[in-house]
């Protein structure tokens, strides 16, 4: 597990209580080429992926140009502070990137019945 670089200046991050003591190492674009599968996770920001994740993926044009991620397995997850906080649109904004890289998207299908009820909040959608 890795994290993407922070794009907010450190002084602002400190004064606005960003979590700056992460144990996970910072990912690089070059790391992506070495993986067989890439699962992207990010918080929901106004119904789309975070600016930090978007900035990271925007730098992967060189990998796209040489088909370095083509055929690799891709997946995505997200969360928000509410049941209808934009999770599905955030997933689409991540998956669009993975599809442009030529990745094969793997997710939960309708056979995963644990997510199909409506009695409790479970999140997710196939």
């Amino acid at each position: 597990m890795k994290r993407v670089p922070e794009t907010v200046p450190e002084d602002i991050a400190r004064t606005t209580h960003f979590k700056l003591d992460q144990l996970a190492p910072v990912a690089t674009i070059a790391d992506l080429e070495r993986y067989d599968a890439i699962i992207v996770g990010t918080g929901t920001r106004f119904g789309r992926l975070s600016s930090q994740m978007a900035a990271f993926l925007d730098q992967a044009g060189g990998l796209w140009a040489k088909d370095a991620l083509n055929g690799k397995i891709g997946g995505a997850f997200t969360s928000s502070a509410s049941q209808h906080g934009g999770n599905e649109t955030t997933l689409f904004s991540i998956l669009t990137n993975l599809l442009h890289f030529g990745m094969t998207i793997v997710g939960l299908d309708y056979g995963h019945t644990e997510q199909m009820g409506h009695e409790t909040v479970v999140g997710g959608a196939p």
Side-chain angles (χ1 to χ4, degrees):
M1 181 168 36
K2 294 190 175 187
R3 60 190 170 101
V4 298
E6 181 55 68
T7 57
V8 174
E10 187 173 342
D11 59 330
I12 294 173
R14 287 192 186 289
T15 59
T16 54
H17 309 289
F18 277 47
K19 184 172 174 65
L20 299 174
D21 58 347
Q22 297 284 334
L23 297 177
V26 175
T28 67
I29 295 300
D31 291 335
L32 300 178
E33 192 170 3
R34 294 191 297 270
Y35 301 140
D36 295 325
I38 300 168
I39 301 172
V40 176
T42 181
T44 295
R45 300 294 186 269
F46 302 106
R48 64 180 297 272
L49 72 165
S50 69
S51 60
Q52 292 88 341
M53 184 61 72
F56 181 76
L57 294 173
D58 284 348
Q59 296 174 53
L63 296 179
W64 169 82
K66 64 181 187 175
D67 292 330
L69 305 180
N70 193 33
K72 293 182 184 278
I73 303 298
F77 64 94
T78 189
S79 66
S80 63
S82 65
Q83 182 175 2
H84 301 289
N87 291 324
E88 280 95 357
T89 55
T90 300
L91 288 173
F92 281 130
S93 70
I94 298 168
L95 295 177
T96 300
N97 285 273
L98 302 183
L99 289 167
H100 270 78
F101 291 133
M103 300 180 77
T104 301
I105 305 302
V106 177
L108 299 175
D109 59 27
Y110 279 101
H112 186 74
T113 58
E114 291 84 4
Q115 69 178 352
M116 303 308 277
H118 55 79
E119 295 81 22
T120 61
V121 177
V122 295

